[in-house]
Amino acid sequence: TAGIVPTDPTSRFLLRSTATSGQPGQMNLIISPRLPDRIYTVKISPTLGSLATWTDLTTFTFSDNGNERTITDTTATGPRKFYQVQIVMP
């Protein structure tokens, strides 16, 4: 579903986060590969482990550049926030 080749050790799905330049309180999440026939949903939780409650990120913008997608969490405030990406094929 992620568009990687399981027999190729260099083929992997990447999620990285970076601060948004000049925008305090925002966070860029960069995912790759991004495939046009997939639906990507970012989920957030204030905790990890068995107590984690994952909900959809609803305050965001996104842009695509080739096989990369940058999702900007426009409300990345608070003491901590954890992210995960759900990928589905329609």
Side-chain angles (χ1 to χ4, degrees):
T1 303
I4 60 174
V5 179
T7 57
D8 179 354
T10 64
S11 179
R12 60 190 75 154
F13 181 79
L14 298 175
L15 167 64
R16 66 182 197 272
S17 61
T18 62
T20 305
S21 178
Q23 299 295 325
Q26 294 189 9
M27 180 68 66
N28 286 327
L29 307 168
I30 303 159
I31 61 172
S32 66
R34 178 208 54 94
L35 301 171
D37 62 342
R38 308 297 199 268
I39 298 170
Y40 300 88
T41 304
V42 175
K43 305 273 190 175
I44 56 172
S45 176
T47 61
L48 292 176
S50 62
L51 299 178
T53 303
W54 295 95
T55 58
D56 290 354
L57 176 65
T58 58
T59 54
F60 66 93
T61 61
F62 75 92
S63 63
D64 294 332
N65 183 13
N67 74 342
E68 265 189 1
R69 173 166 285 173
T70 300
I71 301 147
T72 302
D73 178 354
T74 57
T75 57
T77 56
R80 65 182 167 201
K81 188 184 282 188
F82 298 95
Y83 299 93
Q84 68 175 237
V85 178
Q86 179 184 44
I87 307 167
V88 296
M89 294 178 67

